Amino acid sequence: MQIFPERVRKLWNDWELRVTVVLSLCLQVVLIIFGNHRKFSTRNWVRVVLWMAYLSADWIATVSLGILAQNQGDSPDANVLITAFWAPFLLVHLGGPDTVTAYSLEDNELWLRHFLGLIVQVGVAFYIFLRSWTTHTLTFLALPIYVAGIVKYGERTWVLRSASSEQFRDSLLPPPDPGPDYAKFMEEFNSRNAHGLDASYQGVIEPPMFYEVKGNTIPEAKLLHEAFFLFNMVKRLFASLILSFQTRNDSARIVKFKSALDAFRIVEIELGLMYDVLYTKASVVYTRLGAFLRVVTFSSSLSALVAFWVMINKQDYSKIDTWISYLLLVGAIVLETYAVFLLIRTDWCLFWLSKKKNSLAIFFYQVLSSSRLALIGNKRWSESMGQFNLISVCLRDNPPPKHNWVMNSFFSIHKIIERYRYKTLEPVSIQLKELVFNQLHSKSNTCRSSADSKKFCSRRGDYVLEINNCIDEFQWSVTDVELDHSIILWHVATNLCYYSDLRRVEEDDLDSKCKIAKSFSDYMMYILVWRPFMLPKGIGQTRYRDTCAEARRYFDDKRIAIDNITQACMALFGVSTEIPPKVVKGDRSKSVLFEGCILAKLLQKLETREGWGRERKWEMICDVWVEILCYAAIQCEWNVHAQQLRRGGELLTLVSLLMAHLGFSEQYQISQGHARVEFVQSLYPN
């Protein structure tokens, strides 16, 4: 019994190859357009479309090659010849666009699988070429496309290999350094003593090598040059390699004397370059070899198109197959042209132009740098921070229907919808950047040793409380609890204080630190709920769920009196908290809702203290959140930061890199000077 009628089966057999080949080209268009968008876009539909296209593209091209191989006969006719002409284009599609080679870091680790795929698919394409071989002109026109396909597929495999963790790390390792010849040194030392000569020696301090951009006539290029210089350090950070204190001094000397806006701009450039290295063909394309290969692939496609147009008699072939051939040829050229168009507007090209001293290069640099704003929004990352408010989530109307247990329990659809419903985005303001940079800058000025640097890295709000003489009152909310516990505590307290003050004054009259503190609070809650892997290991998800459960129970009991978040916060403020919540609740429940209420009441009392007021209170709360943010940033592993680059980037990643430039990193482990020695007035080589 046939499921599909014979007519439908025949129609599909006639059109399946045409459909899959055209679909393969369409997927390449999607990949090259949206591949670069995820660098600065946080939109979920962009990631979903790109994910589906990335997974489908290789499969569709492989299936098409399989159909082509199956259709080859012993005596190829005109239809077989023109469809065999499509085989090298599928190799080009398997090579992928320049804007996306890996969807995630894990794809780079699978480079060996792609290498095997390269061998197999090139073998299949070669088999199709041999089976369809004739002296017809169309057969020879396929040769330049085969060259382009092998180049593109080989590039992709090489880039995936270069970006894999092992190869990326090995490429950054310096040559082995055995140090001075200790055995020869001791032989010379003993010989001097034996002959009664002076055997005293002294330490040799290597001279510092500072970097400075000089004589550049393009104003914006100075930041670009400094970012590229520091990028060598950034790559070592992401590869989890150790750094020297000389590197720390050089990077601090560059970043420390910048404005907050310029310091963040340098970091943004560096992370944009890092994204290119990990997820695109940047390591090949932005080289002389890459430029040569682009000329080869473009000229191959262009020559094939011209020859097909001039030399092939279109009457010998089906009209639809002819049009598909034109579509593949034109598509290949358009994709190559668009790739070049994207290439010349990148920081890599701008850096190359800025190194040239002629007026033409300066002109092109200024045109390209100014066009970034009009064409792609001048974004190197999303420039936004996620916002997630626990109290808003707990004020939702009703729980998911219990009867729909398949969707709710098995797929957890209600949890996904809930998170997306209450997640928002907020631009990262200049004031916020200045607040973070100023606090890090002031701490770096007080660091006198690596021990001081490590001490500041371990602070998560207690330093701010100490300098405000509040550590005795609030230490229990920062250092005495885990980080996720502290985040939820201060999140609840910040919301209660914010909406309490909002009732007393108009929103426009609130202090700017008040609004920034709430932004930090909602952002760290967003990290805890949406990006828990960026925080130290803990039971943050359990605390969040238990706290939500207790808040919902409380709000359900007060449903008649609570209509909005302001009323909800005022209701929480009214709860009596003379007895500590842990005494009543025990340790089974990890909810910290009413501990947050206690913290909020203590913070509100600060306003009545001598020398304080609402502004100073919010300044302290804001500084505590900055310190919590910095602590979370420095504790996050660099490979986790690298994963976030494909999601538009995270403020946490920018702060972590900024801290490393200012000396706050545990990867600085090579002392300056290396403690090498030489004999006094000796010809012994250093």
Side-chain angles (χ1 to χ4, degrees):
M1 177 180 176
Q2 293 183 352
I3 299 177
F4 298 103
E6 185 66 26
R7 182 180 177 183
V8 174
R9 295 175 61 189
K10 185 178 184 303
L11 182 64
W12 174 247
N13 290 335
D14 292 341
W15 282 88
E16 63 174 340
L17 178 61
R18 296 165 179 168
V19 170
T20 54
V21 168
V22 173
L23 181 58
S24 179
L25 177 61
C26 292
L27 290 174
Q28 294 303 305
V29 174
V30 173
L31 287 174
I32 197 170
I33 292 177
F34 291 102
N36 197 49
H37 275 61
R38 64 178 181 155
K39 182 178 182 179
F40 53 83
S41 175
T42 58
R43 296 178 179 177
N44 294 308
W45 69 267
V46 171
R47 295 201 346 250
V48 170
V49 169
L50 187 65
W51 174 70
M52 294 178 65
Y54 182 85
L55 293 181
S56 303
D58 287 358
W59 181 79
I60 293 294
T62 302
V63 168
S64 300
L65 279 174
I67 297 172
L68 275 173
Q70 188 178 11
N71 290 347
Q72 301 306 305
D74 294 331
S75 55
D77 56 15
N79 290 331
V80 172
L81 279 178
I82 196 166
T83 54
F85 178 66
W86 301 344
F89 291 99
L90 297 172
L91 285 182
V92 174
H93 297 171
L94 286 168
D98 296 345
T99 56
V100 53
T101 53
Y103 181 81
S104 63
L105 291 180
E106 290 77 12
D107 294 321
N108 293 321
E109 307 302 323
L110 301 176
W111 70 269
L112 200 57
R113 182 182 300 179
H114 284 273
F115 178 67
L116 179 61
L118 168 64
I119 296 174
V120 172
Q121 303 305 337
V122 170
V124 172
F126 188 64
Y127 165 79
I128 296 171
F129 179 72
L130 290 180
R131 290 295 304 270
S132 62
W133 173 266
T134 64
T135 57
H136 196 281
T137 307
L138 191 61
T139 303
F140 295 96
L141 290 186
L143 290 176
I145 307 299
Y146 272 108
V147 172
I150 294 172
V151 168
K152 298 280 282 186
Y153 206 167
E155 278 181 347
R156 181 186 182 186
T157 306
W158 178 260
V159 168
L160 289 171
R161 177 183 180 274
S162 301
S164 63
S165 57
E166 182 179 356
Q167 294 298 324
F168 183 66
R169 181 184 176 92
D170 290 346
S171 67
L172 297 173
L173 288 173
D177 182 11
D181 192 333
Y182 176 77
K184 190 173 182 180
F185 176 85
M186 293 306 300
E187 182 181 344
E188 177 72 12
F189 179 79
N190 293 328
S191 175
R192 284 171 173 264
N193 283 333
H195 291 84
L197 300 176
D198 182 15
S200 60
Y201 55 88
Q202 62 185 5
V204 179
I205 303 299
E206 295 180 350
M209 298 178 62
F210 295 120
Y211 173 81
E212 186 174 358
V213 179
K214 297 180 178 179
N216 205 301
T217 57
I218 307 176
E220 294 184 7
K222 188 174 190 298
L223 289 179
L224 196 63
H225 278 251
E226 290 169 338
F228 268 84
F229 171 75
L230 295 174
F231 184 54
N232 293 320
M233 166 194 169
V234 176
K235 289 189 290 186
R236 297 179 67 83
L237 284 171
F238 276 85
S240 298
L241 297 174
I242 60 174
L243 301 168
S244 68
F245 287 98
Q246 182 62 57
T247 302
R248 182 190 66 180
N249 294 338
D250 286 345
S251 64
R253 185 171 180 267
I254 292 174
V255 177
K256 204 171 186 179
F257 300 101
K258 300 292 183 187
S259 65
L261 194 59
D262 285 345
F264 270 91
R265 190 172 297 162
I266 287 176
V267 171
E268 290 167 5
I269 295 173
E270 292 169 327
L271 291 179
L273 299 177
M274 199 69 233
Y275 170 88
D276 292 339
V277 169
L278 294 177
Y279 295 103
T280 72
K281 291 184 179 180
S283 57
V284 169
V285 172
Y286 304 118
T287 61
R288 291 183 179 179
L289 175 61
F292 172 74
L293 293 177
R294 282 298 154 273
V295 173
V296 170
T297 56
F298 182 81
S299 58
S300 298
S301 301
L302 184 60
S303 61
L305 173 61
V306 173
F308 186 85
W309 181 41
V310 174
M311 302 174 63
I312 300 300
N313 184 8
K314 316 304 184 298
Q315 304 300 324
D316 295 340
Y317 308 102
S318 164
K319 182 177 290 186
I320 185 65
D321 291 342
T322 303
W323 278 108
I324 291 177
S325 299
Y326 270 121
L327 183 64
L328 291 173
L329 286 164
V330 173
I333 295 173
V334 170
L335 291 177
E336 286 287 345
T337 305
Y338 184 69
V340 173
F341 175 68
L342 293 177
L343 185 151
I344 62 176
R345 289 169 31 244
T346 60
D347 287 327
W348 303 86
C349 182
L350 292 176
F351 177 67
W352 180 79
L353 287 172
S354 66
K355 293 190 295 183
K356 307 301 178 182
K357 301 300 181 182
N358 59 76
S359 57
L360 184 62
I362 295 175
F363 170 76
F364 276 115
Y365 176 91
Q366 292 173 341
V367 170
L368 293 174
S369 60
S370 61
S371 69
R372 287 176 59 93
L373 181 61
L375 296 174
I376 60 172
N378 198 25
K379 285 188 175 182
R380 296 180 175 91
W381 71 297
S382 66
E383 298 182 8
S384 62
M385 51 196 293
Q387 301 283 282
F388 193 80
N389 194 291
L390 181 146
I391 298 178
S392 294
V393 173
C394 297
L395 283 173
R396 65 189 174 95
D397 296 330
N398 293 303
K402 293 183 178 180
H403 63 273
N404 196 359
W405 63 272
V406 175
M407 298 298 289
N408 293 331
S409 300
F410 188 74
F411 294 104
S412 298
I413 297 297
H414 69 283
K415 295 180 181 178
I416 298 174
I417 294 175
E418 177 186 86
R419 294 201 305 168
Y420 276 101
R421 178 182 176 186
Y422 292 100
K423 171 199 167 186
T424 58
L425 293 174
E426 181 176 304
V428 178
S429 64
I430 297 176
Q431 293 81 2
L432 189 146
K433 292 179 180 179
E434 289 176 344
L435 193 65
V436 173
F437 181 76
N438 291 339
Q439 186 175 127
L440 292 175
H441 189 274
S442 63
K443 286 183 178 180
S444 66
N445 287 335
T446 60
C447 284
R448 297 292 180 265
S449 64
S450 59
D452 291 338
S453 177
K454 291 181 179 180
K455 183 178 179 181
F456 280 121
C457 288
S458 64
R459 300 285 198 173
R460 51 188 178 96
D462 48 316
Y463 177 74
V464 174
L465 295 174
E466 282 180 8
I467 61 178
N468 283 279
N469 299 318
C470 297
I471 189 64
D472 293 335
E473 298 171 76
F474 297 101
Q475 184 172 359
W476 63 274
S477 66
V478 284
T479 57
D480 293 349
V481 293
E482 295 178 355
L483 178 62
D484 53 77
H485 191 158
S486 184
I487 288 173
I488 301 177
L489 267 178
W490 280 85
H491 174 76
V492 173
T494 302
N495 272 278
L496 265 58
C497 292
Y498 177 84
Y499 288 104
S500 175
D501 288 358
L502 192 59
R503 290 189 67 192
R504 293 184 285 169
V505 298
E506 295 293 332
E507 185 172 3
D508 294 338
D509 296 332
L510 285 176
D511 184 74
S512 60
K513 294 288 182 67
C514 175
K515 298 177 181 178
I516 294 176
K518 187 174 185 304
S519 297
F520 277 129
S521 169
D522 290 351
Y523 176 67
M524 291 309 298
M525 182 55 63
Y526 160 82
I527 292 293
L528 188 144
V529 175
W530 281 78
R531 308 280 187 258
F533 43 82
M534 299 190 76
L535 299 177
K537 293 181 180 179
I539 57 172
Q541 294 297 305
T542 301
R543 283 198 176 93
Y544 165 74
R545 294 176 61 191
D546 289 355
T547 303
C548 284
E550 184 170 29
R552 283 170 180 151
R553 183 181 63 188
Y554 176 78
F555 294 147
D556 286 341
D557 293 340
K558 302 286 185 179
R559 180 61 62 187
I560 298 177
I562 296 177
D563 295 324
N564 53 54
I565 190 171
T566 302
Q567 292 180 0
C569 291
M570 291 304 98
L572 288 172
F573 250 126
V575 176
S576 176
T577 53
E578 284 79 9
I579 301 176
K582 282 189 176 181
V583 175
V584 178
K585 298 169 60 65
D587 192 49
R588 182 180 296 276
S589 174
K590 299 301 179 183
S591 172
V592 299
L593 177 65
F594 292 107
E595 290 181 43
C597 295
I598 295 174
L599 177 60
K601 292 177 181 179
L602 292 175
L603 290 171
Q604 289 296 80
K605 289 181 180 179
L606 291 175
E607 292 187 18
T608 60
R609 186 178 296 184
E610 184 179 354
W612 282 71
R614 189 169 61 246
E615 290 185 4
R616 184 175 175 185
K617 176 195 70 176
W618 280 113
E619 183 178 353
M620 189 195 76
I621 295 175
C622 205
D623 289 343
V624 168
W625 274 118
V626 171
E627 201 161 277
I628 291 175
L629 172 75
C630 294
Y631 177 81
I634 206 68
Q635 293 296 316
C636 182
E637 297 290 337
W638 284 105
N639 64 322
V640 178
H641 284 304
Q643 287 281 13
Q644 303 315 305
L645 297 180
R646 65 184 175 90
R647 295 189 176 102
E650 286 289 352
L651 175 63
L652 213 64
T653 303
L654 271 74
V655 172
S656 182
L657 186 52
L658 185 61
M659 292 177 70
H661 284 323
L662 292 173
F664 300 107
S665 174
E666 295 183 357
Q667 290 179 235
Y668 294 110
Q669 297 182 16
I670 303 177
S671 299
Q672 181 179 349
H674 304 284
R676 299 178 187 268
V677 299
E678 64 178 10
F679 289 107
V680 177
Q681 296 180 348
S682 171
L683 296 178
Y684 177 78
N686 184 13

